[in-house]
Amino acid sequence: MSARTRIGASAGRARGVRAVAQTVRCELLRLLREPMYVLPTLLFPAAFYAMFGLVLGGNRGSAEAARYLLATYGVFGAMGAGLFGCSVTLAIDRERGFFALQRALPAPGGAWLVARAAIALLFSLIIVLELAALATAFGGVSLAPAQWVQLWTVTVFGALPFCAIGLLLGSVASANAAPAWANVLFLPMAFLSGLWLPLSMLPDALAQLAPLWPAYHHGQLALAVLGADAGGAAGVHVAVLTTTTVVCAGLALRRLARVG
């Protein structure tokens, strides 16, 4: 490869990176102007954690409850950031013709996908940092620095399967129906996966079905960092989440290729 070819390829990659960065910036500004998404996504997990993990936990065992719910409400927040951030905006873009316009712009073909995923990860990070501040200040939770980093990493990147589910939902639902369908999926999945209450407090029939939900596997990975998981193999949880991401994203992109 000649020097001129290498320089041209390097410049092309740089332009592609700048285009993706600009897409992320524009999508982020767009979402920040939508308080109906930003406020519930960022505030609800912290509010629920403060209520159920700190206030209602009582004195006895409150530190244990605060530790457990620190992991599960982080997963709950990451679920919401990925699911709603990708489903509703995509459905609106499809219906209003914005998605077709984005695909016609001189930007890498996957820039819009990278932007949505990056913003979901950013919001997930903000949520887990909020929960960490509450847990340490009011819940008596103390973790080693390596545990904090591991918990945040697992929780934040665990949002990707829910981004993929959101993309699939946004590729088939209308703009009006997407929020309703996202809630129908989001809230029962969180409850049945043991994110609000430990599975031991649920009826046996529901607890046995928990592994069917990707949120359960995400929650188990987060709880494993704190030594509070059910003892399943981490590889199984990762495999389920990876499969969910690949299958849902693949179906969504295939659908969008036909209708875009």
Side-chain angles (χ1 to χ4, degrees):
M1 182 182 294
S2 65
R4 180 177 296 179
T5 303
R6 288 196 298 270
I7 293 173
S10 177
R13 287 193 295 269
R15 286 193 297 269
V17 170
R18 286 196 298 270
V20 172
Q22 285 297 321
T23 304
V24 173
R25 175 180 173 274
C26 291
E27 287 292 321
L28 179 59
L29 289 175
R30 172 190 176 186
L31 283 179
L32 291 177
R33 293 167 181 163
E34 294 289 344
M36 292 184 64
Y37 169 74
V38 174
L39 295 181
T41 300
L42 295 182
L43 298 183
F44 280 5
F48 289 162
Y49 178 70
M51 181 179 298
F52 296 108
L54 303 178
V55 176
L56 299 182
N59 294 325
R60 183 181 179 183
S62 59
E64 182 179 353
R67 280 171 60 90
Y68 182 94
L69 293 178
L70 170 64
T72 59
Y73 273 116
V75 172
F76 175 70
M79 283 178 58
L83 185 59
F84 287 95
C86 292
S87 64
V88 178
T89 55
L90 177 57
I92 293 173
D93 286 353
R94 284 180 42 246
E95 195 163 283
R96 296 180 179 177
F98 294 158
F99 181 71
L101 175 61
Q102 286 179 337
R103 296 180 66 180
L105 294 176
W112 64 273
L113 178 59
V114 173
R116 282 172 166 80
I119 292 170
L121 297 184
L122 174 62
F123 275 63
S124 298
L125 178 60
I126 295 172
I127 290 166
V128 297
L129 293 178
E130 291 174 348
L131 297 182
L134 290 172
T136 54
F138 304 106
V141 176
S142 178
L143 301 178
Q147 282 183 295
W148 282 118
V149 173
Q150 188 177 357
L151 179 62
W152 296 340
T153 302
V154 167
T155 304
V156 169
F157 285 96
L160 291 176
F162 306 102
C163 291
I165 295 173
L167 288 175
L168 181 58
L169 182 58
S171 70
V172 297
S174 67
N176 290 330
W181 281 114
N183 274 303
V184 166
L185 183 62
F186 176 53
L187 298 177
M189 187 192 302
F191 177 74
L192 296 173
S193 299
L195 301 185
W196 291 354
L197 296 171
L199 291 175
S200 59
M201 300 179 67
L202 298 181
D204 289 342
L206 295 179
Q208 292 174 0
L209 295 176
L212 296 176
W213 302 101
Y216 166 81
H217 299 279
H218 188 193
Q220 289 300 302
L221 289 174
L223 287 169
V225 177
L226 307 180
D229 62 313
V236 173
H237 301 314
V238 172
V240 171
L241 295 175
T242 302
T243 301
T244 300
T245 304
V246 172
V247 171
C248 291
L251 291 174
L253 292 176
R254 182 178 179 182
R255 163 74 178 175
L256 292 170
R258 294 202 305 264
V259 302

